[in-house]
Amino acid sequence: MPVPPAGPVAAPPGGAAPAVRLTAGFALAFLGVYLAVDWLTFIHPRPNLNITPWNPPAGLYLALLLRTGLRGVPLTFAALVAGDLAVRGHPASAASLVASNLVIVAGYAAAAHVLRHRVAIDPELSRVRDVGWLVGVTFLSAAAVAPAFVGVFVLDGAVAADDLPLFAFQYWLGDAIAIAVVTPVVLLLHRPGPPPLRLPAERPSAAQTAAMIAALAVVFLPIGGDRFNLFYVLFLPLVWVAVTRGLAGAVLAALVIQGGLIAGLQIIGFPLNAVVYHQTLMLALAITALFLGAVVSERRAVETRLREHEAELAHIARLAVTGEMASALAHELNQPLLAAISYTRAAQRLLDGADTPPRAQEFIDKAVAQAERAGEVVRGLRAFLRKGSPHLAPEAAADIVRETLALVRADATYNRVHLRVDVAEPLPPVLCDRIQVEQVLLNLLHNSIEAIAAADPPRREVVLSVRAADPAGVIFAVEDTGPGVVADMVDRLYSPFATTKPAGMGLGLPICRSIVESHGGRLWLAGTSAQGAVFHVFLPAAPP
Ligand code: ADP
């Protein structure tokens, strides 16, 4: 299980886009969208061949393969065959229908495999690198698929061998544009969080949309005689959107412009060669949009991270000053407190047996108790502030669990709390100071037992579990059936002295967190509800 980022309550692990589950419902929906897009855009086909100068369906199945990997191959093949039969009216033999679609699926599944597993691109295309690999790998595989696809029809006798290079180029062009324009939009629509269409910061503004429409009008209306010469005007609104809205805005703008081009060319009925010429320009436009948008988005992300880091550093600096003051204060307070305790004890002894009012003894006892408690707080604070590096050694997580249990058993029995253990072997060894990690788990278990003892729920159970985690390491979990963490504590759990217990010190969790972090691990509240709380501790695995 991936380790979530820091925070009071963990976000869903990883923050990745929802996994695509290839259910029958999903498959039907995909086929429906695929056939609709195919039907809408299947215009200007080459005679004897289902090649058009645009092929948006390719953008759809590439996005599917990028999200699902090899699992998406059967659905892709089914969509291609359905498209040929229902929309395109396959012009050649059944064998060539199967062979040509197998060529497409094999080519793009291989590209998706390389992108997912070899280069491991981020499907949300958050970096320029991701866009670079997407364009590079898919354009190359399109260059392999295109001649193979046309070659099937040459072998079938439907196409003359001489036409292969030109047709293959047109095929490549249609697919390349689809990949540059449609795939990024689909990938971004499927990312976690609100899709770009719903985010005003990413969506082209009304003025920008108007500018795109105006630019399309300039290209299509017979202004200045030759329409082709004015294509470059389309770059202006596109660059405007990419620079101000980043990648999501840029790919949406490219999609709008491509849609406008298809519609415009369709309305004025251009000859096929003019369409191919326009599409070549469109490819340049789409690639510009992708890279410019990615540069802007990546830069913005870096700026945001920098700002966050600055805020974090300022916070740490403040904490360091506070820590030094607290350390000095703890040192200064310790001596007078110890002196006050001994003087009060001495006074108590002097008064012993003497004819003192009975309540005087009681008050002196209380004074001693309070001073001792203050001493404990000061000692706790000093322990918390003491900087000591742990003695690290590779340890078996199962041993840590076993020893911790032995230490906590008496407390659990006394409070009638049932302890359960769940060790999910195999577990990698962890590099840690065993005593310190046991202290952490012990503290979490004590908190759980105390929470149950105070709330007295019908089920009294604490589960200590450990399992392997990703990135390499283990996650210990302490789960209880107590009342959960009270709402206003959730954000303060790791602040020193934050406590809801009458005799609590509020140092347990801050100390635990600093121990875990000194091991390069994380401690977080993984869940809390009226049915209980769950704390997770991640520790990295020992290097092999
Ligand atoms: P202390 O135990 O001295 O209060 P901690 O730092 O260990 O200090 O805990 C801080 C607070 O977090 C507790 O006072 C309690 O309100 C809350 N807390 C910790 N663990 C649990 C738990 N398992 N269930 C409910 N609340 C918890």
Side-chain angles (χ1 to χ4, degrees):
M1 185 186 147
V3 181
V9 179
V20 175
R21 290 185 52 227
L22 290 169
T23 55
F26 176 85
L28 279 179
F30 180 82
L31 281 176
V33 171
Y34 180 92
L35 290 176
V37 172
D38 207 12
W39 178 75
L40 267 176
T41 56
F42 187 61
I43 28 194
H44 286 295
R46 275 283 175 193
N48 286 351
L49 205 53
N50 286 338
I51 294 179
T52 61
W54 39 66
N55 190 20
L60 290 181
Y61 51 71
L62 188 71
L64 174 75
L65 290 168
L66 277 173
R67 278 296 190 194
T68 57
L70 296 181
R71 288 184 302 132
V73 164
L75 180 55
T76 303
F77 186 72
L80 280 161
V81 172
D84 272 347
L85 296 177
V87 177
R88 301 181 173 219
H90 188 71
S93 68
S96 66
L97 179 137
V98 173
S100 61
N101 287 327
L102 277 180
V103 161
I104 298 175
V105 173
Y108 288 129
H113 184 79
V114 169
L115 289 170
R116 280 162 59 92
H117 301 291
R118 293 289 145 134
V119 239
I121 64 162
D122 173 11
E124 274 103 57
L125 307 176
S126 58
R127 295 156 300 183
V128 180
R129 161 193 187 275
D130 303 318
V131 171
W133 278 109
L134 175 74
V135 169
V137 173
T138 53
F139 282 22
L140 263 183
S141 52
V145 168
F149 178 89
V150 181
V152 169
F153 293 90
V154 172
L155 289 179
D156 207 34
V159 173
D162 288 351
D163 287 335
L164 192 144
L166 177 67
F167 286 6
F169 171 69
Q170 287 184 7
Y171 184 98
W172 178 84
L173 186 60
D175 274 22
I177 293 184
I179 291 164
V181 174
V182 178
T183 305
V185 175
V186 178
L187 290 176
L188 289 178
L189 285 175
H190 186 256
R191 71 184 177 182
L197 280 174
R198 281 211 232 122
L199 285 182
E202 295 185 335
R203 195 170 52 203
S205 67
Q208 288 169 335
T209 311
M212 285 189 274
I213 294 170
L216 280 166
V218 168
V219 173
F220 282 106
L221 295 177
I223 307 169
D226 195 348
R227 291 171 174 131
F228 296 108
N229 287 344
L230 297 178
F231 187 95
Y232 61 85
V233 173
L234 285 169
F235 277 87
L236 298 177
L238 187 101
V239 169
W240 182 18
V241 175
V243 167
T244 54
R245 299 293 197 256
L247 181 67
V251 296
L252 285 173
L255 188 67
V256 169
I257 290 176
Q258 168 73 109
L261 272 181
I262 297 184
L265 289 171
Q266 190 62 13
I267 291 165
I268 59 174
F270 269 20
L272 183 58
N273 282 349
V275 174
V276 171
Y277 176 75
H278 258 95
Q279 286 299 85
T280 316
L281 289 171
M282 181 63 214
L283 182 61
L285 190 107
I287 292 176
T288 309
L290 266 180
F291 279 96
L292 197 56
V295 167
V296 171
S297 287
E298 187 171 352
R299 215 191 125 152
R300 279 191 191 162
V302 168
E303 278 170 8
T304 311
R305 267 205 305 279
L306 267 178
R307 266 200 303 279
E308 281 168 7
H309 267 126
E310 270 170 21
E312 235 169 62
L313 278 178
H315 180 68
I316 289 171
R318 271 201 308 278
L319 271 188
V321 173
T322 323
E324 273 168 30
M325 276 166 52
S327 180
L329 200 65
H331 183 75
E332 293 301 322
L333 283 180
N334 206 31
Q335 293 307 325
L337 270 174
L338 287 178
I341 293 171
S342 359
Y343 284 131
T344 320
R345 286 232 171 90
Q348 197 175 24
R349 274 198 297 278
L350 287 179
L351 289 174
D352 252 3
D355 188 15
T356 45
R359 300 210 63 197
Q361 279 293 350
E362 182 195 332
F363 288 152
I364 289 175
D365 283 347
K366 282 188 174 159
V368 171
Q370 288 302 321
E372 277 174 351
R373 176 160 154 64
E376 250 172 56
V377 172
V378 168
R379 270 193 298 285
L381 185 60
R382 292 183 76 185
F384 172 59
L385 296 169
R386 202 167 40 229
K387 294 186 189 76
S389 50
H391 300 290
L392 302 178
E395 303 280 359
D399 290 349
I400 297 179
V401 166
R402 209 181 33 248
E403 287 188 11
T404 309
L405 272 184
L407 296 170
V408 82
R409 192 145 270 143
D411 188 23
T413 314
Y414 177 77
N415 286 294
R416 293 181 289 113
V417 171
H418 177 59
L419 272 181
R420 206 151 60 77
V421 185
D422 185 4
V423 177
E425 298 275 14
L427 294 165
V430 286
L431 193 62
C432 68
D433 184 319
R434 180 148 145 183
I435 304 289
Q436 287 193 354
V437 173
E438 285 176 11
Q439 259 178 13
V440 170
L441 296 179
L442 211 55
N443 191 70
L444 296 178
L445 290 164
H446 277 310
N447 275 349
S448 286
I449 293 171
E450 272 178 1
I452 292 176
D456 199 16
R459 255 186 78 215
R460 305 169 74 95
E461 185 173 78
V462 177
V463 185
L464 170 60
S465 61
V466 58
R467 62 177 181 277
D470 173 31
V474 300
I475 289 182
F476 295 95
V478 175
E479 189 171 352
D480 62 55
T481 56
V485 177
V486 292
D488 78 330
M489 263 313 291
V490 170
D491 289 332
R492 301 185 295 133
L493 279 175
Y494 311 99
S495 310
F497 307 116
T499 180
T500 52
K501 299 172 192 166
M505 286 210 284
L507 286 174
L509 289 175
I511 293 177
C512 288
R513 182 172 253 198
S514 81
I515 291 178
V516 172
E517 285 179 358
S518 73
H519 282 78
R522 307 202 58 76
L523 161 66
W524 70 99
L525 174 64
T528 175
S529 70
Q531 277 70 49
V534 192
F535 282 88
H536 279 186
V537 174
F538 166 79
L539 288 181

PDB file of all heavy atoms in Angstrom, residues 1-19 124 191-194 467 470 475 522 524-528 536:
ATOM      1  N   MET A   1       0.839  -1.204   0.000  1.00  0.00           N
ATOM      2  CA  MET A   1       0.000   0.000   0.000  1.00  0.00           C
ATOM      3  C   MET A   1       0.872   1.251   0.000  1.00  0.00           C
ATOM      4  O   MET A   1       1.805   1.345   0.762  1.00  0.00           O
ATOM      5  CB  MET A   1      -0.831  -0.040   1.277  1.00  0.00           C
ATOM      6  CG  MET A   1      -1.821   1.062   1.355  1.00  0.00           C
ATOM      7  SD  MET A   1      -2.613   0.997   2.962  1.00  0.00           S
ATOM      8  CE  MET A   1      -2.893   2.714   3.226  1.00  0.00           C
ATOM      9  N   PRO A   2       0.579   2.228  -0.916  1.00  0.00           N
ATOM     10  CA  PRO A   2       1.420   3.415  -0.967  1.00  0.00           C
ATOM     11  C   PRO A   2       1.267   4.263   0.287  1.00  0.00           C
ATOM     12  O   PRO A   2       0.225   4.229   0.931  1.00  0.00           O
ATOM     13  CB  PRO A   2       0.901   4.167  -2.191  1.00  0.00           C
ATOM     14  CG  PRO A   2      -0.082   3.280  -2.849  1.00  0.00           C
ATOM     15  CD  PRO A   2      -0.500   2.258  -1.860  1.00  0.00           C
ATOM     16  N   VAL A   3       2.305   5.026   0.625  1.00  0.00           N
ATOM     17  CA  VAL A   3       2.254   5.853   1.812  1.00  0.00           C
ATOM     18  C   VAL A   3       1.723   7.223   1.438  1.00  0.00           C
ATOM     19  O   VAL A   3       2.239   7.869   0.553  1.00  0.00           O
ATOM     20  CB  VAL A   3       3.662   6.000   2.395  1.00  0.00           C
ATOM     21  CG1 VAL A   3       3.631   6.850   3.651  1.00  0.00           C
ATOM     22  CG2 VAL A   3       4.209   4.634   2.713  1.00  0.00           C
ATOM     23  N   PRO A   4       0.646   7.667   2.108  1.00  0.00           N
ATOM     24  CA  PRO A   4       0.087   8.958   1.759  1.00  0.00           C
ATOM     25  C   PRO A   4       0.949  10.104   2.263  1.00  0.00           C
ATOM     26  O   PRO A   4       1.805   9.905   3.120  1.00  0.00           O
ATOM     27  CB  PRO A   4      -1.259   8.945   2.468  1.00  0.00           C
ATOM     28  CG  PRO A   4      -1.117   7.999   3.571  1.00  0.00           C
ATOM     29  CD  PRO A   4      -0.070   7.013   3.184  1.00  0.00           C
ATOM     30  N   PRO A   5       0.707  11.306   1.712  1.00  0.00           N
ATOM     31  CA  PRO A   5       1.477  12.456   2.155  1.00  0.00           C
ATOM     32  C   PRO A   5       1.145  12.841   3.589  1.00  0.00           C
ATOM     33  O   PRO A   5       0.174  12.352   4.154  1.00  0.00           O
ATOM     34  CB  PRO A   5       1.019  13.555   1.193  1.00  0.00           C
ATOM     35  CG  PRO A   5      -0.306  13.112   0.688  1.00  0.00           C
ATOM     36  CD  PRO A   5      -0.309  11.630   0.736  1.00  0.00           C
ATOM     37  N   ALA A   6       1.977  13.739   4.173  1.00  0.00           N
ATOM     38  CA  ALA A   6       1.746  14.166   5.539  1.00  0.00           C
ATOM     39  C   ALA A   6       0.378  14.826   5.651  1.00  0.00           C
ATOM     40  O   ALA A   6      -0.127  15.388   4.712  1.00  0.00           O
ATOM     41  CB  ALA A   6       2.816  15.173   5.923  1.00  0.00           C
ATOM     42  N   GLY A   7      -0.221  14.768   6.788  1.00  0.00           N
ATOM     43  CA  GLY A   7      -1.505  15.428   7.003  1.00  0.00           C
ATOM     44  C   GLY A   7      -2.180  14.785   8.162  1.00  0.00           C
ATOM     45  O   GLY A   7      -1.850  13.656   8.506  1.00  0.00           O
ATOM     46  N   PRO A   8      -3.115  15.476   8.794  1.00  0.00           N
ATOM     47  CA  PRO A   8      -3.754  14.930   9.968  1.00  0.00           C
ATOM     48  C   PRO A   8      -4.493  13.634   9.661  1.00  0.00           C
ATOM     49  O   PRO A   8      -4.276  12.608  10.273  1.00  0.00           O
ATOM     50  CB  PRO A   8      -4.717  16.027  10.401  1.00  0.00           C
ATOM     51  CG  PRO A   8      -4.680  17.097   9.375  1.00  0.00           C
ATOM     52  CD  PRO A   8      -3.538  16.833   8.470  1.00  0.00           C
ATOM     53  N   VAL A   9      -5.359  13.653   8.676  1.00  0.00           N
ATOM     54  CA  VAL A   9      -6.029  12.416   8.254  1.00  0.00           C
ATOM     55  C   VAL A   9      -5.570  12.159   6.845  1.00  0.00           C
ATOM     56  O   VAL A   9      -5.562  13.056   6.019  1.00  0.00           O
ATOM     57  CB  VAL A   9      -7.561  12.558   8.288  1.00  0.00           C
ATOM     58  CG1 VAL A   9      -8.200  11.269   7.820  1.00  0.00           C
ATOM     59  CG2 VAL A   9      -8.038  12.891   9.685  1.00  0.00           C
ATOM     60  N   ALA A  10      -5.139  10.925   6.581  1.00  0.00           N
ATOM     61  CA  ALA A  10      -4.535  10.635   5.294  1.00  0.00           C
ATOM     62  C   ALA A  10      -5.545  10.753   4.180  1.00  0.00           C
ATOM     63  O   ALA A  10      -6.688  10.351   4.311  1.00  0.00           O
ATOM     64  CB  ALA A  10      -3.961   9.237   5.316  1.00  0.00           C
ATOM     65  N   ALA A  11      -5.081  11.306   3.046  1.00  0.00           N
ATOM     66  CA  ALA A  11      -5.895  11.315   1.837  1.00  0.00           C
ATOM     67  C   ALA A  11      -5.918   9.898   1.310  1.00  0.00           C
ATOM     68  O   ALA A  11      -5.121   9.070   1.734  1.00  0.00           O
ATOM     69  CB  ALA A  11      -5.254  12.247   0.817  1.00  0.00           C
ATOM     70  N   PRO A  12      -6.817   9.566   0.344  1.00  0.00           N
ATOM     71  CA  PRO A  12      -6.796   8.225  -0.205  1.00  0.00           C
ATOM     72  C   PRO A  12      -5.398   7.938  -0.747  1.00  0.00           C
ATOM     73  O   PRO A  12      -4.799   8.809  -1.373  1.00  0.00           O
ATOM     74  CB  PRO A  12      -7.814   8.288  -1.346  1.00  0.00           C
ATOM     75  CG  PRO A  12      -8.561   9.556  -1.174  1.00  0.00           C
ATOM     76  CD  PRO A  12      -7.783  10.442  -0.248  1.00  0.00           C
ATOM     77  N   PRO A  13      -4.851   6.728  -0.476  1.00  0.00           N
ATOM     78  CA  PRO A  13      -3.474   6.433  -0.811  1.00  0.00           C
ATOM     79  C   PRO A  13      -3.138   6.768  -2.254  1.00  0.00           C
ATOM     80  O   PRO A  13      -3.905   6.494  -3.150  1.00  0.00           O
ATOM     81  CB  PRO A  13      -3.358   4.925  -0.576  1.00  0.00           C
ATOM     82  CG  PRO A  13      -4.535   4.554   0.207  1.00  0.00           C
ATOM     83  CD  PRO A  13      -5.582   5.604   0.029  1.00  0.00           C
ATOM     84  N   GLY A  14      -1.943   7.329  -2.421  1.00  0.00           N
ATOM     85  CA  GLY A  14      -1.415   7.509  -3.760  1.00  0.00           C
ATOM     86  C   GLY A  14      -1.961   8.704  -4.506  1.00  0.00           C
ATOM     87  O   GLY A  14      -1.250   9.399  -5.176  1.00  0.00           O
ATOM     88  N   GLY A  15      -3.261   8.989  -4.341  1.00  0.00           N
ATOM     89  CA  GLY A  15      -3.852  10.101  -5.055  1.00  0.00           C
ATOM     90  C   GLY A  15      -3.924   9.846  -6.552  1.00  0.00           C
ATOM     91  O   GLY A  15      -4.009  10.768  -7.338  1.00  0.00           O
ATOM     92  N   ALA A  16      -3.871   8.549  -6.955  1.00  0.00           N
ATOM     93  CA  ALA A  16      -3.900   8.250  -8.374  1.00  0.00           C
ATOM     94  C   ALA A  16      -5.326   8.314  -8.896  1.00  0.00           C
ATOM     95  O   ALA A  16      -6.281   8.305  -8.137  1.00  0.00           O
ATOM     96  CB  ALA A  16      -3.323   6.871  -8.603  1.00  0.00           C
ATOM     97  N   ALA A  17      -5.438   8.395 -10.237  1.00  0.00           N
ATOM     98  CA  ALA A  17      -6.769   8.418 -10.836  1.00  0.00           C
ATOM     99  C   ALA A  17      -7.466   7.103 -10.521  1.00  0.00           C
ATOM    100  O   ALA A  17      -6.813   6.082 -10.315  1.00  0.00           O
ATOM    101  CB  ALA A  17      -6.627   8.589 -12.335  1.00  0.00           C
ATOM    102  N   PRO A  18      -8.815   7.133 -10.468  1.00  0.00           N
ATOM    103  CA  PRO A  18      -9.519   5.901 -10.179  1.00  0.00           C
ATOM    104  C   PRO A  18      -9.149   4.840 -11.212  1.00  0.00           C
ATOM    105  O   PRO A  18      -9.042   5.150 -12.395  1.00  0.00           O
ATOM    106  CB  PRO A  18     -10.997   6.302 -10.305  1.00  0.00           C
ATOM    107  CG  PRO A  18     -10.998   7.637 -10.989  1.00  0.00           C
ATOM    108  CD  PRO A  18      -9.682   8.270 -10.715  1.00  0.00           C
ATOM    109  N   ALA A  19      -8.910   3.607 -10.738  1.00  0.00           N
ATOM    110  CA  ALA A  19      -8.523   2.550 -11.666  1.00  0.00           C
ATOM    111  C   ALA A  19      -9.690   2.278 -12.607  1.00  0.00           C
ATOM    112  O   ALA A  19     -10.844   2.390 -12.227  1.00  0.00           O
ATOM    113  CB  ALA A  19      -8.180   1.293 -10.884  1.00  0.00           C
ATOM    114  N   GLU A 124      -1.331  11.634 -15.976  1.00  0.00           N
ATOM    115  CA  GLU A 124      -1.914  12.985 -15.938  1.00  0.00           C
ATOM    116  C   GLU A 124      -1.006  13.987 -16.658  1.00  0.00           C
ATOM    117  O   GLU A 124      -1.275  15.168 -16.642  1.00  0.00           O
ATOM    118  CB  GLU A 124      -2.127  13.436 -14.501  1.00  0.00           C
ATOM    119  CG  GLU A 124      -3.451  12.954 -13.950  1.00  0.00           C
ATOM    120  CD  GLU A 124      -3.256  11.773 -13.036  1.00  0.00           C
ATOM    121  OE1 GLU A 124      -2.505  11.926 -12.069  1.00  0.00           O
ATOM    122  OE2 GLU A 124      -3.834  10.707 -13.286  1.00  0.00           O
ATOM    123  N   ARG A 191      -8.563  12.120 -14.601  1.00  0.00           N
ATOM    124  CA  ARG A 191      -7.625  12.238 -13.488  1.00  0.00           C
ATOM    125  C   ARG A 191      -8.410  12.401 -12.174  1.00  0.00           C
ATOM    126  O   ARG A 191      -9.608  12.714 -12.207  1.00  0.00           O
ATOM    127  CB  ARG A 191      -6.713  13.444 -13.710  1.00  0.00           C
ATOM    128  CG  ARG A 191      -7.471  14.726 -13.541  1.00  0.00           C
ATOM    129  CD  ARG A 191      -6.640  15.937 -13.855  1.00  0.00           C
ATOM    130  NE  ARG A 191      -7.496  17.095 -13.724  1.00  0.00           N
ATOM    131  CZ  ARG A 191      -7.091  18.329 -13.966  1.00  0.00           C
ATOM    132  NH1 ARG A 191      -5.874  18.567 -14.349  1.00  0.00           N
ATOM    133  NH2 ARG A 191      -7.930  19.326 -13.823  1.00  0.00           N
ATOM    134  N   PRO A 192      -7.738  12.242 -11.021  1.00  0.00           N
ATOM    135  CA  PRO A 192      -8.452  12.443  -9.757  1.00  0.00           C
ATOM    136  C   PRO A 192      -8.769  13.927  -9.572  1.00  0.00           C
ATOM    137  O   PRO A 192      -8.099  14.776 -10.142  1.00  0.00           O
ATOM    138  CB  PRO A 192      -7.440  11.983  -8.715  1.00  0.00           C
ATOM    139  CG  PRO A 192      -6.125  12.014  -9.375  1.00  0.00           C
ATOM    140  CD  PRO A 192      -6.326  11.897 -10.830  1.00  0.00           C
ATOM    141  N   GLY A 193      -9.785  14.209  -8.777  1.00  0.00           N
ATOM    142  CA  GLY A 193     -10.166  15.601  -8.550  1.00  0.00           C
ATOM    143  C   GLY A 193     -11.062  16.093  -9.669  1.00  0.00           C
ATOM    144  O   GLY A 193     -11.424  15.329 -10.563  1.00  0.00           O
ATOM    145  N   PRO A 194     -11.431  17.377  -9.629  1.00  0.00           N
ATOM    146  CA  PRO A 194     -12.359  17.878 -10.642  1.00  0.00           C
ATOM    147  C   PRO A 194     -11.715  17.869 -12.020  1.00  0.00           C
ATOM    148  O   PRO A 194     -10.550  18.229 -12.168  1.00  0.00           O
ATOM    149  CB  PRO A 194     -12.647  19.311 -10.182  1.00  0.00           C
ATOM    150  CG  PRO A 194     -11.619  19.640  -9.168  1.00  0.00           C
ATOM    151  CD  PRO A 194     -11.019  18.380  -8.664  1.00  0.00           C
ATOM    152  N   ARG A 467       2.019  -5.114   7.659  1.00  0.00           N
ATOM    153  CA  ARG A 467       2.044  -5.689   6.311  1.00  0.00           C
ATOM    154  C   ARG A 467       3.078  -4.959   5.461  1.00  0.00           C
ATOM    155  O   ARG A 467       3.510  -3.860   5.828  1.00  0.00           O
ATOM    156  CB  ARG A 467       0.656  -5.583   5.657  1.00  0.00           C
ATOM    157  CG  ARG A 467       0.209  -4.157   5.493  1.00  0.00           C
ATOM    158  CD  ARG A 467      -1.134  -4.116   4.778  1.00  0.00           C
ATOM    159  NE  ARG A 467      -1.574  -2.758   4.594  1.00  0.00           N
ATOM    160  CZ  ARG A 467      -2.206  -2.047   5.500  1.00  0.00           C
ATOM    161  NH1 ARG A 467      -2.485  -2.575   6.683  1.00  0.00           N
ATOM    162  NH2 ARG A 467      -2.573  -0.806   5.263  1.00  0.00           N
ATOM    163  N   ASP A 470       4.275  -0.193  -0.063  1.00  0.00           N
ATOM    164  CA  ASP A 470       4.918   0.377  -1.242  1.00  0.00           C
ATOM    165  C   ASP A 470       5.015   1.875  -1.024  1.00  0.00           C
ATOM    166  O   ASP A 470       4.010   2.484  -0.709  1.00  0.00           O
ATOM    167  CB  ASP A 470       4.017   0.057  -2.449  1.00  0.00           C
ATOM    168  CG  ASP A 470       4.497   0.744  -3.701  1.00  0.00           C
ATOM    169  OD1 ASP A 470       5.710   0.947  -3.815  1.00  0.00           O
ATOM    170  OD2 ASP A 470       3.651   1.079  -4.550  1.00  0.00           O
ATOM    171  N   ILE A 475       4.001  -1.286   6.929  1.00  0.00           N
ATOM    172  CA  ILE A 475       3.073  -0.401   7.638  1.00  0.00           C
ATOM    173  C   ILE A 475       2.546  -1.158   8.857  1.00  0.00           C
ATOM    174  O   ILE A 475       1.971  -2.241   8.725  1.00  0.00           O
ATOM    175  CB  ILE A 475       1.906   0.033   6.740  1.00  0.00           C
ATOM    176  CG1 ILE A 475       2.420   1.002   5.688  1.00  0.00           C
ATOM    177  CG2 ILE A 475       0.818   0.706   7.567  1.00  0.00           C
ATOM    178  CD1 ILE A 475       1.360   1.545   4.775  1.00  0.00           C
ATOM    179  N   ARG A 522       6.870   7.480   8.385  1.00  0.00           N
ATOM    180  CA  ARG A 522       5.763   8.415   8.594  1.00  0.00           C
ATOM    181  C   ARG A 522       4.787   7.824   9.607  1.00  0.00           C
ATOM    182  O   ARG A 522       4.630   6.613   9.682  1.00  0.00           O
ATOM    183  CB  ARG A 522       4.972   8.652   7.305  1.00  0.00           C
ATOM    184  CG  ARG A 522       5.749   9.076   6.100  1.00  0.00           C
ATOM    185  CD  ARG A 522       4.826   9.774   5.121  1.00  0.00           C
ATOM    186  NE  ARG A 522       4.218  10.907   5.806  1.00  0.00           N
ATOM    187  CZ  ARG A 522       4.856  12.045   6.058  1.00  0.00           C
ATOM    188  NH1 ARG A 522       6.085  12.198   5.663  1.00  0.00           N
ATOM    189  NH2 ARG A 522       4.249  13.018   6.691  1.00  0.00           N
ATOM    190  N   TRP A 524       0.724   8.520  10.743  1.00  0.00           N
ATOM    191  CA  TRP A 524      -0.453   9.328  10.434  1.00  0.00           C
ATOM    192  C   TRP A 524      -1.725   8.662  10.933  1.00  0.00           C
ATOM    193  O   TRP A 524      -1.752   7.450  11.137  1.00  0.00           O
ATOM    194  CB  TRP A 524      -0.527   9.637   8.952  1.00  0.00           C
ATOM    195  CG  TRP A 524      -0.848   8.476   8.045  1.00  0.00           C
ATOM    196  CD1 TRP A 524      -2.065   8.167   7.518  1.00  0.00           C
ATOM    197  CD2 TRP A 524       0.056   7.487   7.523  1.00  0.00           C
ATOM    198  NE1 TRP A 524      -1.978   7.068   6.708  1.00  0.00           N
ATOM    199  CE2 TRP A 524      -0.709   6.624   6.694  1.00  0.00           C
ATOM    200  CE3 TRP A 524       1.417   7.234   7.686  1.00  0.00           C
ATOM    201  CZ2 TRP A 524      -0.140   5.537   6.034  1.00  0.00           C
ATOM    202  CZ3 TRP A 524       1.969   6.140   7.017  1.00  0.00           C
ATOM    203  CH2 TRP A 524       1.198   5.318   6.207  1.00  0.00           C
ATOM    204  N   LEU A 525      -2.725   9.498  11.140  1.00  0.00           N
ATOM    205  CA  LEU A 525      -4.042   8.991  11.519  1.00  0.00           C
ATOM    206  C   LEU A 525      -4.705   8.534  10.231  1.00  0.00           C
ATOM    207  O   LEU A 525      -5.032   9.348   9.381  1.00  0.00           O
ATOM    208  CB  LEU A 525      -4.846  10.128  12.172  1.00  0.00           C
ATOM    209  CG  LEU A 525      -6.303   9.804  12.505  1.00  0.00           C
ATOM    210  CD1 LEU A 525      -6.404   8.710  13.547  1.00  0.00           C
ATOM    211  CD2 LEU A 525      -7.019  11.057  13.002  1.00  0.00           C
ATOM    212  N   ALA A 526      -4.876   7.213  10.083  1.00  0.00           N
ATOM    213  CA  ALA A 526      -5.370   6.701   8.805  1.00  0.00           C
ATOM    214  C   ALA A 526      -6.889   6.725   8.750  1.00  0.00           C
ATOM    215  O   ALA A 526      -7.471   6.604   7.684  1.00  0.00           O
ATOM    216  CB  ALA A 526      -4.866   5.286   8.580  1.00  0.00           C
ATOM    217  N   GLY A 527      -7.532   6.868   9.907  1.00  0.00           N
ATOM    218  CA  GLY A 527      -8.983   6.926   9.886  1.00  0.00           C
ATOM    219  C   GLY A 527      -9.517   7.135  11.284  1.00  0.00           C
ATOM    220  O   GLY A 527      -8.888   6.721  12.256  1.00  0.00           O
ATOM    221  N   THR A 528     -10.638   7.827  11.368  1.00  0.00           N
ATOM    222  CA  THR A 528     -11.274   7.972  12.676  1.00  0.00           C
ATOM    223  C   THR A 528     -12.760   8.148  12.456  1.00  0.00           C
ATOM    224  O   THR A 528     -13.184   8.825  11.521  1.00  0.00           O
ATOM    225  CB  THR A 528     -10.685   9.161  13.462  1.00  0.00           C
ATOM    226  OG1 THR A 528     -11.427   9.306  14.681  1.00  0.00           O
ATOM    227  CG2 THR A 528     -10.733  10.466  12.697  1.00  0.00           C
ATOM    228  N   HIS A 536      -1.454   4.671  11.496  1.00  0.00           N
ATOM    229  CA  HIS A 536      -0.512   3.896  10.677  1.00  0.00           C
ATOM    230  C   HIS A 536       0.906   4.412  10.877  1.00  0.00           C
ATOM    231  O   HIS A 536       1.111   5.624  11.014  1.00  0.00           O
ATOM    232  CB  HIS A 536      -0.860   4.044   9.188  1.00  0.00           C
ATOM    233  CG  HIS A 536      -1.975   3.144   8.764  1.00  0.00           C
ATOM    234  ND1 HIS A 536      -2.376   3.015   7.472  1.00  0.00           N
ATOM    235  CD2 HIS A 536      -2.768   2.316   9.478  1.00  0.00           C
ATOM    236  CE1 HIS A 536      -3.369   2.143   7.397  1.00  0.00           C
ATOM    237  NE2 HIS A 536      -3.633   1.714   8.607  1.00  0.00           N
TER     238      HIS A 536
END
